[in-house]
Amino acid sequence: MVWGARLWAATALVALVAAGAIAAAVRTPGPEHVASSLTDSHGRSLVQHGFSTAGSAKSSPDGLPDFTEDDLDAEHTDMGTNFVRFLISWRMVEPSPGVYDEGYLDDVAERVSWYAERGYHVMLDMHQDLWSMAITPDGAHGNGAPEWATYMDGLPVADHDMWELYYLEPGVMRAFDNFWNTTGKHPELQDHYAKAWQHVAERFADEDAVVAYDLMNEPYGGTMQGPRFEAGPLTELYQTTIDAIRQVDADTWACLEPQAMGFNWGLPSGLGFVDDPRAGQPRIAFCPHLYPLPMDLGDGYTGASKQLVDATIDAWAGNVLRTAEALGDVPVILGEFGLNTTLDGALDYVDAVYDMAATTGMGVAYWSRDDGSWGPYESDGTERNLVTALNRAYPRAVAGEITEWSSGEGELTLTMIPDADATASTEIYLPAEEFPNGPEVDGAVIEAWLPDSGILTVNVPAKGADPVTVTVTAA
Ligand code: IDC
């Protein structure tokens, strides 16, 4: 992009964020903590700590990330992850209308089994950026939807340096308009989408490790933007898709994302309520992304940029908690945040986001598990600075309700209401190097400490229905 345009865009966007932050500040105070968590088959509350894996899957011919079982062992050892947001794509699931590629789903199932064997939980993320690879002849920009579902009606797509700017191209906008059928010409596309999800759900319904489906990465309304889009076509698509999934899979959580543009920068969401037709408690979660604008535009986390980013994080967290409440007190997973960690102050930003997520009770999937400047490793396997920042103490699975938790170097504090019906104990991950002589625990009884995996298992006795605080320090 030329300089003038970049400056113009930056100024306009910063003004937008400031307006959003002010709007958030003057609204009545919202909730300070998410009201519920995803739970495992033992009834434990889960805290997600992992990556989106990986961007390399977006345009690879087999739709799979450049990621091996050894790579999984590496992150498990180095950062104690327990969760993955695993990228899948509609183009691979349904390569031609109504035809599903079982071979692709076998490949995905094989990766899922690697995670399952190591006790991870998996969220399948139906990824898209800029609709599809078919938006340009060389396939070098967008990803997600199949070519047969890409209707640009002959409108142009010009070139850009920043990938996000392709969202403003007429051809790309039209592809979205046709999908949402705001053109009135393609009512069939959303049905295909819902049925593709149903097919995926049928395949993974009995796989306990798959706990959630992220129904659409970063929805974008084309020419229809903001609350009109979110409360209208987007909410409707979610409802249709969940209804389709529930015919074959009653238990896996359905994760909803807001419109990304705006929300990722700290603006509120207008997403409508979605009904979960399953018997029993609904299993709907909210999975927004956080990309404060200054960092999207390549600034670091220092000086004026840091102030703006901090204001964005605050406004964003408030908006997330309000939306989660409006959706029915649903759990929250921060499905994407990340940055080029060579930027000034990058690791302070990573800390700030993880601290916010702990305080508010959100799980986190860092973007992304690709090699290089945003990721944990170089392509030759060398550890990058991100590894230390992500190797943090956290409660993996809690036999009860989490009231609040926080962690720092060599310490973790967890306040919880123990649940006598939970059939497994509370598990806490501790970076072994911060606990060379093992952990000391107050408020709970140690059942096991496994320094090789960093997993501490504790029994937390209930005090009636009162919260109990467990403190872990280095012995
Ligand atoms: C980015 C990749 C980049 C790729 C681009 C377009 O890092 O290599 O060229 O997508 O496919 C998102 C998206 C996520 C983006 C990420 C970082 O969900 O797919 O990955 N991001 O830009 N939203 C905001 C940021």
Side-chain angles (χ1 to χ4, degrees), residues 356-382:
M356 175 276 294
T359 309
T360 54
M362 302 175 192
V364 183
Y366 179 89
W367 182 270
S368 66
R369 185 62 170 86
D370 290 278
D371 296 334
S373 62
W374 286 48
Y377 305 100
E378 302 293 355
S379 45
D380 64 5
T382 316

Side-chain angles (χ1 to χ4, degrees), residues 105-120:
L105 294 175
D106 290 344
D107 290 340
V108 173
E110 185 190 14
R111 270 91 193 145
V112 166
S113 75
W114 301 345
Y115 289 101
E117 281 160 22
R118 290 161 179 81
Y120 279 63

